[in-house]
Every structure is written in structure tokens, then in C-alpha cells.
Amino acid sequence: MGKKRARVGRALIWLFVIGALLAGVNQYSVHQGEGSWSPQLALDLEGGTQIMLAPLTEEGAQVTSQQLDQAVGIIRQRVNASGISEAEVTTQGGQNIVVSIPGVPDDATRERLQASAQMEFRPVLIVQPAGDGQQPVETELPDDGELLDEDGNPIDLEELFSEDPEGDGTQEDETEGEEPGSAIVNATDTDPSDEPGDEEESPSDEPDSTEEPSEEQEPADASDTAWITEELADEFMAFTCDQVDTTTPLPSDRAVVTCSTDGSIKYILGPVEVWGADISDADVGQASTPQGVPTGAWAVNLEFNSNGTAGFRTVTERITSLEEPRNQFAVVLDNTVLIAPTSNAVITNGQAQITGNFSQELEGAQTLADQLKFGALPIGFQVQSEETISPRLGESQLQAGLIAGLIGLVLVVVYSLFQYRALGMVTVFSLLIAAALTYLVITFLSSTQGYRLSLAGVTGLMVAIGITADSFIVYFERIRDELRDGKTLINAVDSGWQRALRTIVASDVISLLAAVVLYLLAVGNVRGFAFTLGVTTVIDLVIVALFTHPVVQLLARTKFFGGGHPLSGLDPHALGAVYRGRAKFRQPVESGKQARSGKEAVRRQTIAERKLAATKERDS
């Protein structure tokens, strides 16, 4: 008896701990200013912001349906990666993309949506600091058209592109320290035979670096300094990072001037050699040495498709043996350099690893991986319009749905009290605790994961009332069956629970599997229904195991329930019990209600009971 009471107490304590933990975490989120005690609402209940994206194409060019579908999928991934749920991404007129976001999007979300240009891989030709942060140093262009560094001193192109530069000037290794673009591309499982050898590069393979490049000189490859014409040099020195245009795509077949994303470095980049669409996957993992020993740093792992593998091999074969900064390639997104890692190996199998300043910061590496994975749109887009939209369903529809749910809850309570008398109050309190726990879970997810409750999600919560009530009915009916078989209430509660638990678990597992499959296969608001259905199914198991069963165990020890009071709902006489005490059967009373109960009891006698009764009759 003492052990049973201890188990009952532990179950209730665990339920209290779960509720307190959810409330405490949510309170912490509210205290930090990031959460709220009310769940966030989705687009159909709260309204939000509608952003229309128009494609950037050459004059007269048409966007294909395949390009548009691919762009919709990538933008939807971007929105989901930002933590926004219940957002909608659709097409309009076969040309534009409409993004509907609940509430008011923050600046980071707007930037993520507007970062819709093609991702490009370009070789680096020149790198120059642009100043401190977002305030680049203003430079002047001398009459002779020379390039100036950040201190206003002329840059000698002959020295800049020589294989053995004098002094440390612009040839200082910019991959050291914490400057943007300080990253290294390593080969992953690359054949050692593919590594660059010690042979000197033939002078005939490189352009003549003793003369200043001119526009008449034909570039030999994308890394050739002949791309730097006098006009491009003038543009580079007059260029400031606040002049970067993220709406007009950069030309892919010639060198361009741009800046890093944070505006701290200016670049001259060669033509595009690999497109972002050729990235098949990008994820985060632990960096390792060529011998496979983990370094404890984070790295971004890239995997290219067949086209990207061939193109990236060509790039790394050429730039790996070049001098700084031409041994770097720039990842360009929205006309700005996302990162410009240095290549230290020839990548032949389409699998590369980027390590850099995010070595100890998982968040930075994950952000870069998301940008590489979701940044490869087939076409560029610009924001055509942004407007606030009102809730499509409105308060009246939400109120109607809540009223319908309340009516269903009242009917469940009335049925429980009518069918189970005082025992039905256990159902009422179980539903109230399940509702409180569900509210805490939904609020917690809203505060920490950006979850938003839609009308479909509310529907899932309403359906959960029936699922939870069904579990109680199965349990209570099992107890009644045990009482009809002649067991005492305490024994009936324990044996009834063992038999009912299998049925409850089987039913909830099936509901949970249906919710998971629906969530994985469905899109839009249907996923909101599946999500809340799955959450409430798990909560149903928790409530039945940690509250309903322990409470019934406690009630079975009271005089009111244990003595079989007619209003308890567990009266053996009313249930037609055929057995009271040890091996003692009672005769049904043939009058009125008791007579009907007696007939029911006789009908329910098992074969074993009948044999035992016949044996006792012969012995007497």
C-alpha cells in the first residue's frame, strides 16, 4: 500500500514539474523581452504584411514556370529558416511572387527576402580595405589614374601582381586575423595526386605583369589581371560600399567592382565561373585535418552537382597556386561578397570544406550554410510593393470557431457527469489540466520557435477534446468491467489501468502517426492542424498517465468511491456486479432496477465463474 501511494505521489509531482518547467522557461523568455504569455497568431487570424517580388530579367525576356516554381521553393525555405511559421509564398500572374508574412517582419526577414539575386562564385583580382565598418574611407583618383590604398598612397600594379612582391603592403596575408573573408577552402577526401605540385608556373600561362593591363589585352582566364582596365580601375577607386546596387544583377561575363556584405572590404572580381544553383547541399560540421583529426572548429561543408564539380575543379586548379589575393574566390550574393575564402587544395570530387572566423561560433557557420544552400535562385527579384493586410477570417469567424469548441467541451462534460456521476469530475479536471498544459506548450513554442497559431491549428486543438475524452472513457469502462467481475474497487482500478493502457497507447500512437504523416506531406494551414493534433495527442498520454490514473487511485481509497456510493458512478449494485468478497457470489434481485441489473450480471458471468458456482452448488 505504501509503495502504491509513493508511485501516485511521484506521478503527480512529475506532472507539476513539467508544468512548472514550461511556465518557468516561458517566463524567462518574457523577462528577456523575446516572449509573451499569449500565443502569436497566424496570417488568417492576425493579418500581416504582403510583399510582392518582381523578377529581374533582361528586356523582353520571359520567366519560365520552372524558374518561378524553383524560386518559390527557395524563398519558402528562406522564410522558414528565419523562424516564421504559417507564412504563405505563392505566384501571381505567372511572373511575380507574393510572400505573406504574419505580423510585421523585422529587418532581418526583409533582408532575407530581398536577398533574392543569383549566387555566384567569382575569382578575386584585387582586395582593398574600404574603411571602418559601414563608413568606408573616401578616396581620390589622381590624374594619372593610379589605384590608391586606404591611406591615399599609389598602388604599384607591377608589384601587386608580381609573383615575389616587395615589402608587405597589399600583399599581407589577409586570411589571418578576423577580417571578413578570412576563410580557407579545404578539400574533402581529395586524392593526393590532385594536389598542386612544386613546379614553377610557366610564365606563358600568366599575363605579362610587367605592364599595366589595358583594355586591348585579351584576358587568358577569369583570374587574369587583364580584366582590370583603366576604366575599371577608375571605378574601383571612386567606388564606396554604400553605392552597391543589390537590385540590378551584375554582368556575369566581365570583371566587376563590389564590396563585402558588411561594407568593410572592396573587391575587383573576375567573371562568374560557378553558379550557386550548382550547390546540391550545404551543412555544418566539425572541421578536421587532412588526417581526419577533429580540430574543434566549425566548418561549412559544400557539395556540388556534376556541373558545379567540373567548374569548381577548374577554378581551384588555377587559383590554388596563385599569389594573394588571386588565390581566393568570392561567393557573391545580391551583388555583395558573402565570403572570400582562400583555396589551399584542388577540389576534384565536388566536396569542399570552408573554415574561417566562425571557427568557434556554430551560429555563424549555420547562417553561412543556409545562405549557400538557399541562396541559389534561378533569377533575381526586387521588391515591387509591400503592404499591410488585414486578417482574412476576422474576429467573427474566430469567435464562431471558439464557440463551437466551447459547445463541444460542454457536451463532453455533461455526458461525463451523466454517465459516470461523480467520477465524471475526474474527466473535467483532466481536461482543464490538459488545456493548461497545451496552452503552455503553444505559448512556449510561440516565444522560442516563432510558432503561430492559425485557425487550422485551433481546429486541431478542438479535435483533441474528443481524443482526450475517449481515453478517459476507455479507462473508466475498464474499471467498471472489473467491478462487474466482482473485484474490489482498488483492485479494479489497478487491473483496469493495465488493460486500458494498451488500448489508449495504441489509439494515441495511431493518431500521432497520422499527424506526423500529414505534417510532412501537407503544405500551408493543413500543417498547422497536424502540428496541434500531434502536440495534444502527446499531452493526452501525459495527462492520463500522470493525473487521471493517480487521481482515480486516490479516490478508490475514499469511503465515498470505495464504498460504492450510488452517486460515485462506481456502485457495484448499479453495475450488476456478480461477486462480493472472496469467493462469495450474490444472487441478483428480481425486482425493478436491481432485477435488470441482476440479469445483466448473469449475462456477463464468465465461463470460469459459472463453473465455480456449479462446483460450489454440488459441494453444498
Side-chain angles (χ1 to χ4, degrees):
M1 185 68 68
K3 293 183 178 179
K4 289 184 178 180
R5 290 182 178 179
R7 287 196 296 267
V8 170
R10 284 196 297 267
L12 295 176
I13 290 174
W14 271 111
L15 180 63
F16 176 79
V17 168
I18 293 174
L21 185 61
L22 287 172
V25 172
N26 197 65
Q27 174 60 35
Y28 176 78
S29 179
V30 173
H31 180 71
Q32 295 296 318
E34 300 175 354
S36 171
W37 279 109
S38 59
Q40 299 183 60
L41 300 180
L43 193 66
D44 53 358
L45 299 179
E46 183 186 32
T49 304
Q50 187 178 80
I51 301 175
M52 182 175 293
L53 303 175
L56 295 171
T57 59
E58 297 180 1
E59 185 175 356
Q62 295 292 325
V63 179
T64 65
S65 59
Q66 182 178 4
Q67 289 176 321
L68 208 60
D69 292 340
Q70 183 181 354
V72 167
I74 293 174
I75 292 177
R76 182 178 290 116
Q77 289 175 317
R78 288 182 177 183
V79 174
N80 294 336
S82 64
I84 297 176
S85 63
E86 300 294 341
E88 295 181 2
V89 183
T90 58
T91 61
Q92 184 182 72
Q95 289 288 320
N96 299 330
I97 293 180
V98 178
V99 182
S100 301
I101 301 175
V104 180
D106 54 19
D107 293 337
T109 301
R110 285 192 177 92
E111 291 176 1
R112 187 182 289 262
L113 288 177
Q114 295 176 12
S116 54
Q118 288 179 311
M119 180 176 287
E120 308 163 343
F121 288 76
R122 294 174 178 260
V124 176
L125 302 181
I126 286 183
V127 176
Q128 179 180 346
D132 184 11
Q134 298 295 332
Q135 301 296 329
V137 175
E138 295 293 338
T139 57
E140 297 181 0
L141 187 67
D143 294 337
D144 56 3
E146 291 181 313
L147 295 176
L148 301 180
D149 60 20
E150 61 177 335
D151 297 323
N153 300 318
I155 298 177
D156 189 346
L157 287 176
E158 179 179 350
E159 178 182 341
L160 179 65
F161 297 115
S162 64
E163 295 294 335
D164 186 19
E166 297 179 1
D168 55 3
T170 59
Q171 288 300 309
E172 183 179 357
D173 187 1
E174 296 197 32
T175 63
E176 298 180 0
E178 296 297 326
E179 293 296 327
S182 172
I184 300 174
V185 174
N186 306 306
T188 303
D189 298 329
T190 303
D191 191 337
S193 62
D194 295 320
E195 297 292 334
D198 297 329
E199 299 180 0
E200 293 286 340
E201 191 169 353
S202 173
S204 61
D205 294 335
E206 291 293 322
D208 186 0
S209 59
T210 60
E211 299 180 1
E212 184 175 341
S214 62
E215 58 183 346
E216 290 81 9
Q217 186 177 353
E218 287 295 331
D221 51 52
S223 298
D224 197 337
T225 57
W227 289 104
I228 308 176
T229 63
E230 182 176 352
E231 290 77 12
L232 189 64
D234 294 347
E235 179 185 354
F236 178 73
M237 293 315 304
F239 190 83
T240 58
C241 289
D242 57 355
Q243 296 175 337
V244 175
D245 183 7
T246 60
T247 61
T248 304
L250 295 172
S252 61
D253 57 350
R254 61 183 177 87
V256 296
V257 177
T258 187
C259 287
S260 60
T261 303
D262 62 0
S264 62
I265 296 180
K266 293 196 299 184
Y267 295 90
I268 294 182
L269 306 176
V272 176
E273 295 199 274
V274 180
W275 294 99
D278 293 328
I279 297 178
S280 60
D281 194 16
D283 57 21
V284 177
Q286 288 286 334
S288 59
T289 64
Q291 292 74 29
V293 179
T295 63
W298 292 106
V300 176
N301 300 312
L302 286 180
E303 184 174 344
F304 292 89
N305 60 20
S306 57
N307 291 333
T309 298
F312 205 63
R313 174 171 184 166
T314 301
V315 174
T316 54
E317 282 179 343
R318 184 181 68 250
I319 70 174
T320 299
S321 59
L322 296 180
E323 78 290 343
E324 287 284 350
R326 290 195 296 152
N327 63 346
Q328 297 175 245
F329 66 89
V331 181
V332 181
L333 179 63
D334 293 328
N335 300 351
T336 61
V337 176
L338 201 62
I339 190 172
T342 301
S343 175
N344 66 353
V346 178
I347 312 297
T348 61
N349 59 357
Q351 297 179 0
Q353 187 178 81
I354 300 178
T355 58
N357 296 337
F358 44 76
S359 58
Q360 300 298 329
E361 299 178 6
L362 174 59
E363 182 178 356
Q366 186 63 59
T367 299
L368 176 60
D370 289 342
Q371 289 172 318
L372 293 171
K373 187 174 182 179
F374 302 141
L377 283 176
I379 48 178
F381 288 89
Q382 66 178 354
V383 176
Q384 188 177 66
S385 64
E386 180 177 337
E387 59 184 3
T388 301
I389 56 177
S390 59
R392 291 198 302 263
L393 298 177
E395 294 184 0
S396 59
Q397 286 82 353
L398 176 60
Q399 290 176 356
L402 294 178
I403 291 174
L406 182 61
I407 292 174
L409 179 61
V410 170
L411 291 176
V412 170
V413 171
V414 170
Y415 172 81
S416 298
L417 295 177
F418 175 78
Q419 180 71 14
Y420 300 108
R421 308 299 192 274
L423 187 62
M425 292 302 299
V426 178
T427 302
V428 175
F429 283 104
S430 296
L431 287 173
L432 290 176
I433 294 178
L437 205 60
T438 302
Y439 186 84
L440 288 175
V441 170
I442 297 299
T443 305
F444 168 74
L445 293 175
S446 293
S447 299
T448 59
Q449 305 298 322
Y451 173 76
R452 289 180 176 270
L453 186 63
S454 65
L455 188 61
V458 174
T459 304
L461 297 179
M462 295 176 183
V463 172
I465 298 175
I467 294 177
T468 305
D470 181 65
S471 298
F472 303 151
I473 292 173
V474 170
Y475 181 31
F476 295 161
E477 288 298 328
R478 286 296 187 183
I479 294 175
R480 286 184 160 192
D481 285 343
E482 297 297 325
L483 287 175
R484 291 188 180 100
D485 289 342
K487 293 183 179 179
T488 62
L489 181 58
I490 293 178
N491 292 333
V493 168
D494 291 336
S495 58
W497 169 249
Q498 293 175 2
R499 297 175 62 186
L501 181 60
R502 293 192 294 268
T503 305
I504 294 172
V505 170
S507 175
D508 283 348
V509 167
I510 292 174
S511 296
L512 184 60
L513 287 176
V516 171
V517 172
L518 187 61
Y519 183 84
L520 294 177
L521 299 181
V523 294
N525 289 336
V526 179
R527 301 186 71 185
F529 169 79
F531 182 80
T532 53
L533 181 61
V535 169
T536 51
T537 301
V538 175
I539 291 177
D540 174 50
L541 285 173
V542 173
I543 294 298
V544 171
L546 299 183
F547 180 78
T548 307
H549 175 52
V551 168
V552 173
Q553 284 181 305
L554 292 177
L555 294 178
R557 297 186 177 94
T558 63
K559 183 178 180 180
F560 180 79
F561 286 91
H565 193 282
L567 295 180
S568 67
L570 298 173
D571 180 15
H573 293 279
L575 295 176
V578 298
Y579 161 86
R580 308 187 82 181
R582 179 174 299 176
K584 181 180 179 182
F585 291 81
R586 68 175 177 83
Q587 294 298 326
V589 179
E590 301 294 336
S591 62
K593 181 177 180 181
Q594 291 183 348
R596 291 193 300 271
S597 298
K599 292 179 181 179
E600 177 67 14
V602 172
R603 188 180 66 83
R604 289 176 175 269
Q605 282 184 321
T606 63
I607 296 176
E609 290 170 342
R610 292 174 182 174
K611 288 182 178 180
L612 181 59
T615 301
K616 291 185 66 177
E617 184 177 353
R618 286 197 304 269
D619 294 342
S620 60

